[in-house]
Every structure is written in structure tokens, then in C-alpha cells.
């Protein structure tokens, strides 16, 4: 045996010990979970193609970090959320569908304020205008057991950074700390920022009462040139240093204000899009998208640097379809989500289909593609499933279904699943394609849409007609009847709210009643 | 003789008396004077053609009230201002050219702050960074006797409404009341509004310290949907009800914040421009222009209603060329003032030529066109001339020349007049066509431009080449020498400030020195 100097043993010791330090966090029995939620991002607002074809939009937008996520994880081509913001967020928080939560529309930061526009035909329903509440008996709220609180109780360090918009000011749901987050960065009752600009203090005055939609809690960035997207990312990553160091699993809910209006110019990324010759608003929008993607890159780099990528699940999602009203968007209204029809506010695909990506190195096969349809309330049971949390107590009934089996095998299919969108509300003053008082139902490739004001049903086959151009209701009355029956049954089971005609005072008929007359 | 009932005499009496009541104000020996000043409006930002041809821009913009003014008054096709804002305003207030006032650049609302960008080649000059002062011995200001104070002393009721931007906060010139206005509406040291929106309180917080560029004094409109352009018009017209009732002549300086950035959407006018398919920013800009024109219509209607149009002179003017950097403007930079070259900031025609209209029914011939070149400092002697004010005391020397003879006869010409633009400053971080450290000189149809950083002269014949595309300096050295000599003489006479090269510490040579080497 050769002489071996002590130093060599010492090096060996380091080699043996070092991995233990660097992967200690990855030896936890629970994975870290990151929900990376974008606001108002459309299905085509990315260089990752979610359709069978590469579109002009895929060529326009630059999202290299989403591309990385798609390469290293699973792409969901049929992922859905609600047509507007708060309903999606409350469903994610509770696992319950909007038809059940009665949070069917976006909530005002102001308490007891109905954001429904006056409609000439229908009376507004008595929906939960104050949003979600983790406490019972708060007027006009849906009371439930929120996901972060369950994770927190089960050993997770929980961080909220960005947009909350769970409940109105003056109700418990307005503060992320009340729904189970250990840390809250910049979250409140507001649904969009007054400004993305550090130079404008995210619209907080130096002294005095902040603007209604000022972003709270980022004083350290006031007067700097740090774009909001960057500030909430930096702070989020700072916050999770603690559980990483302490070898505790974390749940990071990084919910960007981007890419919601106002379309403030992110000067880091704008030039490229102006040089492309894009419309000014579209260039600003594209820069907002790229800024959001840069944040995703920062998160991935953080995981790499801390060597915790293997044990961290990232769920990338948007909360509703891309905004397509003009203004704020440039060009022609309702063209921004093509090949999908319409946009935010609508129950057509443009308003509800989302870019969804999941990376989880030990489980999800790289570059895999799942075509099974999933919906925002599925996040709740899936995340609990992934965290291995069972026998937790819930006050609400969960409508979502865990997609963990899909993460394990992208080919898992369930064409018999029924999902629905319920929006008995008027979103804006102007009219648009099924953006007011409309609900929809999907089973397999079939989608039934219900326009309340005209008590009219539309039928589409999404496999053959992703653009919902050919309404088959007249030619396939039996299919309409079959779906309308299932749809109505589900609406009743969920105790969905239903509007009333102003003229007659009578309730709009349910889909099955209308279908029966075909 | 037939029997005539008393009532008929009574009617006759009314007819005889009524005109006396309705035109009492018009029997004043002095006319009312309205300066309607627009901010950053370019020469082509109107449906009134100021060039020999009707341009695409003339077809784009809708300014029916400017059309009315052109129909009922005189159009000046060669009217000039300075390339940026404060210098024009101070020249209007004092009659002195910027080369003399040393207010050669835009002033910050913050006292003692030089808005010059750092330039790699030249040191900044010691210009009057706090703007104009009606009081002597205020540091970094030009001390002069302001036009409104002279009018006020001579029996005019003087009203300021809109943007002042005469001097920095903390100096006397920052308050319009200190420069001779009886009433100040919304004027301060700021050069643009933080917001045009009543919904945003023009960016004043409800309590606490206002934003740096919040518009002051319009609390009555906070929380309403009244666009800033409208608010300052309504308040201006309310304010002149007093002199109209009291049969006193008035001077109204209605200086719009429009059409300066931010390009907030004026929803009253936006739709039309979006439907034209314009770029989003360009549509917003066009709506700002139309909102400004609507204000002009409101003024004309007020004069009609009060039957004082005949005795009221209206001078319509802009303070510099149209902004043509992108962003904030859409499309290609430096194309927004075509056929003129460049835009705001530049001494090329796009930065200095202005849409100017004058209506004065008793003097100015309807639909007349004056091609004589005039410049912003001419407003001072002209207005005093029109008001019949003589032997007033002034602390400053006046460079402007009264254009009252032109108002009386549009054919009055003076090709021997020498005018100049002096801008020894760096405006923005980016480069652009003669937007930094450049001066210019016009005599007859000839224009000489001096680029300090390259110590280079350019020569154009504006009659043959309005777009300044053919630099004749090389082919016509004698003309360059002739003009450079006159130009340099004038600069010296005015005690113009002159920059120094950073590398050598030597002053940039005067134009005549450069020309002598040709």
C-alpha cells in the first residue's frame, strides 16, 4: 500500500460530505413547489408553440426560459382557467369551481362593490363580490380552507410574492398572510398595478394615502429603475433563501402582476419589438411578456445555483386568456389569441385556454406533451397529492382532480371528464364575443356554450375546429341535448347562480330546457 | 299716418338698445386677446394644410375648429418657435430671443437642476436653468418685464390657464401670478402633466405630497372623467366671464398641456383613430390633438355666445415641433413631421416650424395666408402693438418684431430679416438629427445650421428644399460665409453662450470662423 498523505483523505472527506450539504434540501421527503402564475397571459403569447402549428405570435414573442421549461418538462396543450381573474385564483386556492364558489367575476379592491356592468337585459346575480375568505361568515365571500394554509400546516414554508387579489380590502381574504402564507411580498386586494415603474414608486406617493391600485410593500425599490416584475422576483428569491438554508420544503406562489395592463414600457426589452415594426402597444405588451420570462429565468438560475432544481416542482400557468380589447391592446380587437377565438372575458377558447408547463425532474419526462384537458381547480388536489398530504380537513367540496398521474405519464387520458366555466356577469361596457353572461361545458372534444341573454346554445368540436368557427348546434341537436343535460345537472349540483330577465322577472332557462326545444 | 301701437315702438326701442348691451364689451378701445398655445404640436398635426400640398397627416388629424380659424383668419406658413419648450415660453413672455435670455433649454420643476444630458464631447454652458424671473437677482434666471404684467397695468384682466413652465419651483417665475396674471388655473413649474385623467386626480393623491408632475389646482375635477384639456378650458372660460360682464378687456393665455406626453387615451376621440388602423400610440396622440381642437371650439363658441368675437384677437400657436422620438410616438422615429425633417429638440424645420393661425375679424382678412417668417418672440411686441400700449418700461431688450402690419396685409414681406435659434444643450440620452448642441439662422429663403460637436455648417434653401435634404454648404461657400458672418455677429450682439470642448478646454469656434476655412 502506497503512502497517502493526510491531505488526500481530507479531500476525500470533503467530496463525501459536500454532496450531503449541497443536496440536503433535496433529501427532504417533500418537494419544493413553485406556482409561477402570470396574469392575463394568452395561449399564444410565447415562443413555445402550444398548438400543432408555429404561429406568427410564437415568432413574435421571446420567452427562452419558457422554452427551457418546455424542454425540461411537460407541456399541457389543453389547460384551462376561468375567463377572468379572481375566479381562477379562488379556484386555485380552494379546488372548487367558480360555479360553486360564487366568485364568478373579478373582485373590486373596495369592499361590497359589485364590478358587474349594468346590462340592459339581465339583472346581476348575487355573486360573492368580496371574493374568498379563510374565515366563516364574512359577507359576500366564499369560505374555504386555502391551499397555502394546508401546506403551511404540513411543514411547508410558504411565500407569496406579487398579485394576490383573493378578496376585497377590509375582509380577511385580502391579506395573503391570512390564507396561510408565512411571507407576503406586494400582495393585496388589487387586481392590477397602477404602475410597473420603480421611478413612480409603483404609484405610491412618498407620503400620504396611496393610490387605489398602488403596489404595497416595495419601498426599497421606490425611486429606482427596477421594473415591478423584477422587484417581486428578487424579493421572492430572497424570501426562499431561509427555507433553503434551513432545509425546509417551501411553497412559492410567484404571481406576477405582468402581463396585465397598464402596458408600461419595460425599457430593458422594448427596443427589439419596436424594431420589429410592432404597434406601440403591442411592443410594450411583448416587452412585458419578455420581462416575465426573464423572471422565470431568474427562478431557474436560483434553483440551479442552490442545486435544488431536482427536488423542486414548477407549475407555470396563466389566470385567464390574453386581453384582446382595443385599447389597451393595439391592432384589431379579438385577434390577439388566434387561432383561438376572442380573449379575456370570453368563454370561447381565447378567454380560457392557458399556456401551462410543469417541470419536476425526478417525475416529469423532459419535452413531454400532455393533451388531456385540465383546469385551474385541479392545481389544488394535484399540489396536495405531490406534497403527499392526505386526510386534511376541508370546509369546501373540491371539484378539481389531481393531474399527478398525467405528470407521471403524459399519455393518461380521460375523455369522459366534464369541466365547466360559469360567468353570469357583465365584464365591460362594450359588447364582445360571449364576454358577458355566458357559460360553457366541455366533455371530450365537445364544447357547449350558453349565451344567457339570447338563451342560445352553441356547439363546437374542438379537435376539428379549435377556432370555434363552425357552430354545430343546428346540425347536431342530439349532441347538444346530451351535453346540455350533463351541463345543467352539474350546474344544479354546484348550486350555480342564475340570472333573471329584467323584462319578465323570470330566470333564464337552464341549458337543458333550451336544448329540449331543438 | 296710420295708427301705430305702442308695442311697436317698444320693439323698436329694444332693437336699438339690444346691440348696445350685447356689444358693450366690443366698444372697448382695446381688443380682448387670447393666446391659444399648444404644447409639442407639430406643423402637420392638423387637418389644416400649412404646406403647399395636403399631406397624409392633414388627412389623419381632425381639427375642425382650427379649420374654422383658418377660414375666418390668417394662416402663417412660416411661423417658428424654439426647438424645446421653456425657451419659447420665455421668449413669448419677454420678446427676447433665447440666445439673449440664456434660457436655451427646458427647465426642471426642481430648482438649480440642469436638465442637460451629459455629452461626451462638450461641456454644458452655464444657461439659466431656473428659467424666467420677474424679480432681479434670482440665481440662474433671466430677469425681464413680462407681457402679462404690462397688459395688467394697462387695464387688462389677465388669466392664465394650463401649462406655465416659466421658472423652477422656489423662484418667483414659477407662479403665473407673479408674472402679471390676475388668475392662475393649473399653472406651475411643471412642463408636462403626470396624467391627463380626472379619474387619476391628474396624479394628485387625495392626501399627502403630490407627484412631481401632478397638475395643481383642479380639485373640483378629481375623481371625474374630465380630461385635463377640458378642465382647463372650462375653468378659463369661467374666469373670463368676470371681465366680459364688467366690460373690461381681457388677456387669456390658454396654454394647453396637450399634446405633450403622456399619451393618455382621451376616450371621447380615440375610437375613430383606432378604426383608421393607426398604431396605438399614434391613435392616442391624434385623440389628444382632437381634444385640443375641441377646446378651441369651446372658446370660439363662448365668444359667439357672448357676442365678443369681433373684438377678440385669437393667436393660435405651438411651442416647438412635434415630438418624433419612439417611444413615446409610434412608428419610425423622425418621420412625424414630414415633409419637415426631424422633430422636437432639433433645429431642422420639424423641430421649430409651427402651425400658427390668427383671427381678428375687424382687421384680419378671412382665409388669408401670410408666408413671411415670424418667430415666437414676435408675439410680445405684436400683442403690445395690438393693445395700443406704448412707452411701457422694459428691463430687457426686445428681439421680436410686431407682425401687426402683416395682420393688416398678408402680403407684407421682409426677406432681409434675420432670425435665429440657439440651442447649446443636450436634450436626451439618444442621438438624433441635430437635436443636441445645434443652432440655426434664417435670412430670406436661406437657412444655415451649425452643429457644434463637429464644428460643421449646413446650408439649405427652404423655398426649393423644405425637407432640408440637399446640404448646399460645399457648393455655395460664399453664401455660407455671408450668412455665417451675420449669424456670428448676431450671436455676439446677444451675448449668446457658447460651449467648450471637453478634450481641449477650448471654445467651439463661431460659425464665421468655421466658414472662413471653406
Amino acid at each position: 500500500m502506497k503512502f497517502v498523505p493526510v491531505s488526500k483523505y481530507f479531500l476525500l472527506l470533503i467530496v463525501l460530505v459536500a454532496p450531503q450539504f449541497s443536496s440536503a434540501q433535496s433529501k427532504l421527503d417533500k418537494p419544493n413547489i413553485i406556482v409561477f402564475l402570470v396574469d392575463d397571459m394568452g395561449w399564444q403569447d410565447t415562443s413555445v408553440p402550444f398548438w400543432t402549428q408555429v404561429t406568427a405570435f410564437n415568432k413574435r414573442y421571446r420567452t427562452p426560459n419558457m422554452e427551457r421549461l418546455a424542454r425540461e418538462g411537460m407541456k399541457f396543450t389543453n389547460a384551462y382557467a376561468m375567463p377572468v381573474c379572481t375566479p381562477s385564483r379562488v379556484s386555485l386556492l380552494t379546488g372548487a369551481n367558480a360555479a360553486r364558489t360564487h366568485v364568478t367575476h373579478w373582485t373590486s379592491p373596495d369592499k361590497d362593490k359589485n364590478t358587474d356592468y349594468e346590462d340592459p337585459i339581465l339583472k346581476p346575480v348575487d355573486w360573492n363580490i368580496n371574493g374568498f375568505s379563510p374565515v366563516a361568515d364574512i359577507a359576500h365571500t366564499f369560505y374555504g380552507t386555502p391551499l397555502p394554509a394546508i401546506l403551511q400546516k404540513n411543514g411547508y414554508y410558504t411565500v407569496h410574492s406579487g398579485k394576490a387579489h383573493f378578496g376585497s380590502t377590509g375582509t380577511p381574504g385580502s391579506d395573503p398572510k391570512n390564507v396561510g402564507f408565512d411571507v407576503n411580498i406586494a400582495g393585496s386586494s388589487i387586481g392590477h398595478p397602477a404602475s410597473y415603474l420603480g421611478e413612480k414608486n409603483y404609484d405610491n406617493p412618498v407620503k400620504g394615502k396611496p393610490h387605489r391600485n398602488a403596489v404595497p410593500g416595495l419601498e426599497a425599490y421606490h425611486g429606482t429603475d427596477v421594473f415591478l416584475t423584477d422587484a417581486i422576483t428578487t424579493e421572492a428569491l430572497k424570501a426562499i433563501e431561509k427555507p433553503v438554508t434551513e432545509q425546509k420544503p417551501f411553497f412559492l406562489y410567484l404571481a406576477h402582476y405582468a402581463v396585465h395592463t397598464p402596458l408600461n414600457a419595460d425599457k430593458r426589452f422594448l427596443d427589439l419589438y419596436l424594431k420589429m415594426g410592432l404597434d406601440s402597444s403591442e411592443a410594450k405588451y411583448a416587452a412585458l411578456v419578455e420581462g416575465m420570462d426573464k423572471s422565470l429565468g431568474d427562478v431557474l438560475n436560483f434553483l440551479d445555483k442552490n442545486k435544488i432544481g431536482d427536488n423542486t416542482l414548477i407549475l407555470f400557468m396563466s389566470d385567464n386568456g390574453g386581453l384582446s380589447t382595443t385599447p389597451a391592446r393595439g391592432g384589431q380587437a379579438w385577434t390577439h389569441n388566434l387561432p383561438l377565438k376572442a380573449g379575456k372575458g370570453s368563454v370561447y377558447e381565447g378567454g380560457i385556454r392557458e399556456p401551462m408547463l410543469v417541470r419536476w425532474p425526478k417525475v416529469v419526462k423532459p419535452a413531454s406533451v400532455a393533451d388531456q384537458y385540465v383546469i385551474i381547480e385541479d392545481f389544488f388536489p394535484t399540489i396536495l397529492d405531490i406534497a403527499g398530504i392526505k386526510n386534511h380537513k376541508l370546509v369546501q367540496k373540491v371539484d378539481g382532480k389531481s393531474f399527478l398521474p398525467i405528470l407521471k405519464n403524459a399519455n393518461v387520458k380521460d375523455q369522459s371528464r366534464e369541466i365547466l366555466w360559469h360567468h353570469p356577469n357583465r365584464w365591460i361596457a362594450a359588447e364582445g364575443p360571449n364576454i358577458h353572461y355566458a357559460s360553457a361545458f366541455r366533455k371530450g372534444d365537445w364544447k357547449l356554450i350558453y349565451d344567457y341573454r339570447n338563451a342560445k346554445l352553441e356547439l363546437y368540436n374542438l379537435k376539428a375546429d379549435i377556432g370555434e368557427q363552425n357552430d354545430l348546434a343546428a346540425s347536431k341537436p342530439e349532441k347538444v341535448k346530451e351535453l346540455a343535460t350533463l351541463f345543467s345537472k352539474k350546474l344544479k349540483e354546484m348550486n350555480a347562480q342564475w340570472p333573471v330577465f329584467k323584462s319578465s322577472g323570470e330566470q333564464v332557462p337552464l341549458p337543458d330546457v333550451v336544448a329540449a326545444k331543438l
Side-chain angles (χ1 to χ4, degrees), chain A residues 159-176:
Chain A
V159 174
H160 177 282
S161 190
K163 168 174 163 174
H165 203 200
F166 303 133
S168 301
T169 305
T171 71
S174 65
D175 184 349

PDB file of all heavy atoms in Angstrom, chain A residues 159-176:
ATOM      1  N   VAL A 159     -44.460  31.226   0.776  1.00  0.00           N
ATOM      2  CA  VAL A 159     -44.133  32.604   0.376  1.00  0.00           C
ATOM      3  C   VAL A 159     -45.071  33.062  -0.738  1.00  0.00           C
ATOM      4  O   VAL A 159     -45.213  32.381  -1.765  1.00  0.00           O
ATOM      5  CB  VAL A 159     -42.668  32.700  -0.106  1.00  0.00           C
ATOM      6  CG1 VAL A 159     -42.370  34.097  -0.671  1.00  0.00           C
ATOM      7  CG2 VAL A 159     -41.707  32.351   1.028  1.00  0.00           C
ATOM      8  N   HIS A 160     -45.682  34.208  -0.533  1.00  0.00           N
ATOM      9  CA  HIS A 160     -46.481  34.847  -1.573  1.00  0.00           C
ATOM     10  C   HIS A 160     -45.714  36.047  -2.095  1.00  0.00           C
ATOM     11  O   HIS A 160     -45.285  36.901  -1.325  1.00  0.00           O
ATOM     12  CB  HIS A 160     -47.816  35.327  -0.986  1.00  0.00           C
ATOM     13  CG  HIS A 160     -48.656  36.067  -1.980  1.00  0.00           C
ATOM     14  ND1 HIS A 160     -48.412  37.377  -2.330  1.00  0.00           N
ATOM     15  CD2 HIS A 160     -49.714  35.671  -2.719  1.00  0.00           C
ATOM     16  CE1 HIS A 160     -49.291  37.751  -3.237  1.00  0.00           C
ATOM     17  NE2 HIS A 160     -50.096  36.747  -3.495  1.00  0.00           N
ATOM     18  N   SER A 161     -45.528  36.136  -3.415  1.00  0.00           N
ATOM     19  CA  SER A 161     -44.931  37.345  -3.973  1.00  0.00           C
ATOM     20  C   SER A 161     -45.694  37.747  -5.226  1.00  0.00           C
ATOM     21  O   SER A 161     -45.871  36.952  -6.140  1.00  0.00           O
ATOM     22  CB  SER A 161     -43.448  37.136  -4.292  1.00  0.00           C
ATOM     23  OG  SER A 161     -42.852  38.387  -4.606  1.00  0.00           O
ATOM     24  N   GLY A 162     -46.155  39.012  -5.248  1.00  0.00           N
ATOM     25  CA  GLY A 162     -46.853  39.527  -6.417  1.00  0.00           C
ATOM     26  C   GLY A 162     -48.307  39.810  -6.142  1.00  0.00           C
ATOM     27  O   GLY A 162     -48.689  40.288  -5.077  1.00  0.00           O
ATOM     28  N   LYS A 163     -49.120  39.468  -7.129  1.00  0.00           N
ATOM     29  CA  LYS A 163     -50.543  39.787  -7.082  1.00  0.00           C
ATOM     30  C   LYS A 163     -51.328  38.730  -6.317  1.00  0.00           C
ATOM     31  O   LYS A 163     -51.252  37.546  -6.641  1.00  0.00           O
ATOM     32  CB  LYS A 163     -51.063  39.892  -8.519  1.00  0.00           C
ATOM     33  CG  LYS A 163     -52.579  39.924  -8.635  1.00  0.00           C
ATOM     34  CD  LYS A 163     -53.045  40.185 -10.061  1.00  0.00           C
ATOM     35  CE  LYS A 163     -54.521  39.805 -10.201  1.00  0.00           C
ATOM     36  NZ  LYS A 163     -55.078  40.167 -11.521  1.00  0.00           N
ATOM     37  N   ALA A 164     -52.118  39.151  -5.328  1.00  0.00           N
ATOM     38  CA  ALA A 164     -52.967  38.214  -4.588  1.00  0.00           C
ATOM     39  C   ALA A 164     -54.373  38.256  -5.209  1.00  0.00           C
ATOM     40  O   ALA A 164     -54.769  37.361  -5.928  1.00  0.00           O
ATOM     41  CB  ALA A 164     -53.012  38.592  -3.115  1.00  0.00           C
ATOM     42  N   HIS A 165     -55.101  39.325  -4.898  1.00  0.00           N
ATOM     43  CA  HIS A 165     -56.433  39.535  -5.483  1.00  0.00           C
ATOM     44  C   HIS A 165     -57.387  38.397  -5.130  1.00  0.00           C
ATOM     45  O   HIS A 165     -58.170  37.943  -5.962  1.00  0.00           O
ATOM     46  CB  HIS A 165     -56.319  39.683  -7.016  1.00  0.00           C
ATOM     47  CG  HIS A 165     -57.479  40.433  -7.614  1.00  0.00           C
ATOM     48  ND1 HIS A 165     -57.804  40.347  -8.954  1.00  0.00           N
ATOM     49  CD2 HIS A 165     -58.414  41.265  -7.059  1.00  0.00           C
ATOM     50  CE1 HIS A 165     -58.861  41.096  -9.208  1.00  0.00           C
ATOM     51  NE2 HIS A 165     -59.250  41.669  -8.072  1.00  0.00           N
ATOM     52  N   PHE A 166     -57.303  37.952  -3.855  1.00  0.00           N
ATOM     53  CA  PHE A 166     -58.203  36.890  -3.394  1.00  0.00           C
ATOM     54  C   PHE A 166     -59.490  37.472  -2.813  1.00  0.00           C
ATOM     55  O   PHE A 166     -60.544  36.824  -2.870  1.00  0.00           O
ATOM     56  CB  PHE A 166     -57.522  36.056  -2.299  1.00  0.00           C
ATOM     57  CG  PHE A 166     -56.212  35.435  -2.705  1.00  0.00           C
ATOM     58  CD1 PHE A 166     -55.093  35.531  -1.874  1.00  0.00           C
ATOM     59  CD2 PHE A 166     -56.102  34.740  -3.907  1.00  0.00           C
ATOM     60  CE1 PHE A 166     -53.883  34.939  -2.230  1.00  0.00           C
ATOM     61  CE2 PHE A 166     -54.893  34.152  -4.268  1.00  0.00           C
ATOM     62  CZ  PHE A 166     -53.777  34.256  -3.426  1.00  0.00           C
ATOM     63  N   GLY A 167     -59.384  38.648  -2.166  1.00  0.00           N
ATOM     64  CA  GLY A 167     -60.557  39.227  -1.516  1.00  0.00           C
ATOM     65  C   GLY A 167     -60.420  40.726  -1.391  1.00  0.00           C
ATOM     66  O   GLY A 167     -59.323  41.281  -1.502  1.00  0.00           O
ATOM     67  N   SER A 168     -61.545  41.392  -1.134  1.00  0.00           N
ATOM     68  CA  SER A 168     -61.578  42.856  -1.086  1.00  0.00           C
ATOM     69  C   SER A 168     -61.009  43.397   0.227  1.00  0.00           C
ATOM     70  O   SER A 168     -61.033  42.719   1.259  1.00  0.00           O
ATOM     71  CB  SER A 168     -63.017  43.355  -1.263  1.00  0.00           C
ATOM     72  OG  SER A 168     -63.525  42.894  -2.498  1.00  0.00           O
ATOM     73  N   THR A 169     -60.523  44.625   0.178  1.00  0.00           N
ATOM     74  CA  THR A 169     -59.964  45.306   1.350  1.00  0.00           C
ATOM     75  C   THR A 169     -60.978  45.298   2.498  1.00  0.00           C
ATOM     76  O   THR A 169     -62.165  45.537   2.278  1.00  0.00           O
ATOM     77  CB  THR A 169     -59.623  46.775   0.990  1.00  0.00           C
ATOM     78  OG1 THR A 169     -58.756  46.764  -0.136  1.00  0.00           O
ATOM     79  CG2 THR A 169     -58.931  47.492   2.146  1.00  0.00           C
ATOM     80  N   GLY A 170     -60.488  45.002   3.686  1.00  0.00           N
ATOM     81  CA  GLY A 170     -61.392  45.000   4.840  1.00  0.00           C
ATOM     82  C   GLY A 170     -61.990  43.628   5.107  1.00  0.00           C
ATOM     83  O   GLY A 170     -62.741  43.455   6.052  1.00  0.00           O
ATOM     84  N   THR A 171     -61.645  42.652   4.262  1.00  0.00           N
ATOM     85  CA  THR A 171     -62.057  41.269   4.543  1.00  0.00           C
ATOM     86  C   THR A 171     -60.775  40.457   4.775  1.00  0.00           C
ATOM     87  O   THR A 171     -59.709  40.836   4.273  1.00  0.00           O
ATOM     88  CB  THR A 171     -62.856  40.637   3.380  1.00  0.00           C
ATOM     89  OG1 THR A 171     -61.973  40.386   2.281  1.00  0.00           O
ATOM     90  CG2 THR A 171     -63.994  41.564   2.937  1.00  0.00           C
ATOM     91  N   PRO A 172     -60.857  39.340   5.510  1.00  0.00           N
ATOM     92  CA  PRO A 172     -59.618  38.585   5.823  1.00  0.00           C
ATOM     93  C   PRO A 172     -58.890  38.102   4.568  1.00  0.00           C
ATOM     94  O   PRO A 172     -57.661  38.031   4.560  1.00  0.00           O
ATOM     95  CB  PRO A 172     -60.130  37.394   6.652  1.00  0.00           C
ATOM     96  CG  PRO A 172     -61.488  37.791   7.148  1.00  0.00           C
ATOM     97  CD  PRO A 172     -62.057  38.765   6.153  1.00  0.00           C
ATOM     98  N   GLY A 173     -59.628  37.798   3.522  1.00  0.00           N
ATOM     99  CA  GLY A 173     -59.006  37.251   2.307  1.00  0.00           C
ATOM    100  C   GLY A 173     -58.120  38.229   1.568  1.00  0.00           C
ATOM    101  O   GLY A 173     -57.374  37.832   0.672  1.00  0.00           O
ATOM    102  N   SER A 174     -58.175  39.508   1.950  1.00  0.00           N
ATOM    103  CA  SER A 174     -57.365  40.494   1.231  1.00  0.00           C
ATOM    104  C   SER A 174     -55.879  40.372   1.570  1.00  0.00           C
ATOM    105  O   SER A 174     -55.037  40.811   0.803  1.00  0.00           O
ATOM    106  CB  SER A 174     -57.851  41.912   1.552  1.00  0.00           C
ATOM    107  OG  SER A 174     -57.638  42.204   2.927  1.00  0.00           O
ATOM    108  N   ASP A 175     -55.571  39.771   2.718  1.00  0.00           N
ATOM    109  CA  ASP A 175     -54.169  39.672   3.145  1.00  0.00           C
ATOM    110  C   ASP A 175     -53.664  38.246   2.989  1.00  0.00           C
ATOM    111  O   ASP A 175     -54.138  37.323   3.648  1.00  0.00           O
ATOM    112  CB  ASP A 175     -54.061  40.098   4.618  1.00  0.00           C
ATOM    113  CG  ASP A 175     -52.609  40.121   5.100  1.00  0.00           C
ATOM    114  OD1 ASP A 175     -51.717  39.621   4.377  1.00  0.00           O
ATOM    115  OD2 ASP A 175     -52.387  40.634   6.219  1.00  0.00           O
ATOM    116  N   PRO A 176     -52.661  38.040   2.117  1.00  0.00           N
ATOM    117  CA  PRO A 176     -52.129  36.685   1.913  1.00  0.00           C
ATOM    118  C   PRO A 176     -51.706  35.987   3.210  1.00  0.00           C
ATOM    119  O   PRO A 176     -51.760  34.767   3.291  1.00  0.00           O
ATOM    120  CB  PRO A 176     -50.948  36.922   0.977  1.00  0.00           C
ATOM    121  CG  PRO A 176     -51.338  38.133   0.189  1.00  0.00           C
ATOM    122  CD  PRO A 176     -52.068  39.007   1.177  1.00  0.00           C
TER     123      PRO A 176
END
